[in-house]
Amino acid sequence: MKEWTGKLGEKDYIVRVLKEDSVEDILRLQDLVLETLINNDFLSPVTKEEYEDFVSKSLMVGVFVEDKLIAFRALAIPEIDEHHLGYDIGLQREQLNKVVYQEITNVHPDYRGYGLQKKLGAIVMELLDASPYTHVCATVAPFNIASLKDKLSQGMVIGALKNKYADMLRYVFYKKLHGDRKIGGEALEIHMDDTEKQQQLLADGWIGTSIVQKDGEWYVTYEEKGTYM
């Protein structure tokens, strides 16, 4: 499997696909990240069993510095049930087996500020471009600005805003793989706090394509979907 290398300041790093022998390191890093979070609603912890599934059945990539795991990102092949994110973005049941989720990303507190989340996102998308999947989906909490920017930087768009995971409000992001995005002309900027207005636009066929800060307030830009699906 391909590896990726680079530098974080003066330190060399290597990115590689994670296997079963990395699960304990993954859990230790997750615990450390949880301890440093100001808002625990931004991150839903993943269990040991789920991580074991990610590395054995799906895909995880990790960043190592001096053989120490300092960041990871996971993809998951979701169970097809009534909670599937594909339904939230308007897919039919027969399309769901071609959907993969971008799951959790963790970065060691000492290595924040190097753009590792974005680097791992680019690697994951590179791997997906060569895959048989047609859509990648993810969820992000409103006002989790770093994660919102991360998803948007990968060309993902907001297709829904609803309660997920025991009634926690989440944007549902998606990207159509192996295709181009063509969006309509009109655009509206809606305050990120205005859940009802955003949900109405999404129900009317608009998609969220960017976020912008004005006078210290965050807004989401919505555009008509056009031919993007």
Side-chain angles (χ1 to χ4, degrees), residues 106-151:
N106 278 183
V107 177
H108 193 290
D110 292 346
Y111 290 91
R112 291 173 185 163
Y114 289 104
L116 281 174
Q117 187 171 2
K118 189 173 182 178
K119 292 179 195 298
L120 288 174
I123 288 171
V124 163
M125 284 301 184
E126 177 185 331
L127 293 170
L128 284 175
D129 281 341
S131 78
Y133 297 103
T134 60
H135 293 77
V136 55
C137 293
T139 59
V140 180
F143 295 99
N144 185 349
I145 302 303
S147 287
L148 291 170
K149 288 181 176 180
D150 170 67
K151 300 299 179 292

Side-chain angles (χ1 to χ4, degrees), residues 174 199-207 223-226 228:
Y174 74 99
Q199 289 176 328
Q200 184 59 57
L201 284 172
L202 290 162
D204 290 342
W206 295 57
I207 52 178
E223 301 180 48
E224 294 178 283
K225 186 182 295 183
Y228 186 60

Side-chain angles (χ1 to χ4, degrees), residues 68-221:
K68 178 182 178 182
L69 181 68
I70 56 101
F72 62 78
R73 191 162 196 148
L75 289 176
I77 300 169
E79 180 182 355
I80 297 179
D81 58 18
E82 68 272 20
H83 304 296
H84 198 288
L85 298 180
Y87 285 130
D88 297 324
I89 63 169
L91 298 182
Q92 302 301 310
R93 183 176 179 84
E94 60 269 19
Q95 297 174 281
L96 300 186
N97 65 342
K98 295 291 187 178
V99 175
V100 63
Y101 289 2
Q102 275 206 35
E103 283 285 350
I104 194 167
T105 301
N106 278 183
V107 177
H108 193 290
D110 292 346
Y111 290 91
R112 291 173 185 163
Y114 289 104
L116 281 174
Q117 187 171 2
K118 189 173 182 178
K119 292 179 195 298
L120 288 174
I123 288 171
V124 163
M125 284 301 184
E126 177 185 331
L127 293 170
L128 284 175
D129 281 341
S131 78
Y133 297 103
T134 60
H135 293 77
V136 55
C137 293
T139 59
V140 180
F143 295 99
N144 185 349
I145 302 303
S147 287
L148 291 170
K149 288 181 176 180
D150 170 67
K151 300 299 179 292
L152 292 165
S153 74
Q154 298 173 60
M156 301 182 78
V157 298
I158 297 168
L161 175 58
K162 56 174 54 181
N163 289 335
K164 308 291 287 186
Y165 319 123
D167 292 331
M168 291 187 289
L169 189 64
R170 291 290 187 267
Y171 288 111
V172 179
F173 278 84
Y174 74 99
K175 181 178 181 179
K176 183 180 179 181
L177 303 169
H178 324 303
D180 296 324
R181 187 171 89 186
K182 296 178 182 179
I183 295 175
E186 188 178 0
L188 296 172
E189 292 178 353
I190 310 299
H191 197 285
M192 201 174 290
D193 251 345
D194 193 342
T195 300
E196 185 176 348
K197 179 63 174 177
Q198 292 179 83
Q199 289 176 328
Q200 184 59 57
L201 284 172
L202 290 162
D204 290 342
W206 295 57
I207 52 178
T209 57
S210 65
I211 59 174
V212 62
Q213 189 177 33
K214 294 182 177 181
D215 299 322
E217 301 289 326
W218 284 99
Y219 295 80
V220 182
T221 301

Side-chain angles (χ1 to χ4, degrees), residues 16-33:
R16 58 176 179 260
V17 174
L18 300 178
K19 301 298 183 184
E20 287 84 347
D21 57 2
S22 295
V23 170
E24 293 302 326
D25 290 335
I26 291 167
L27 291 168
R28 278 192 290 270
L29 180 53
Q30 176 177 262
D31 289 343
L32 179 61
V33 169

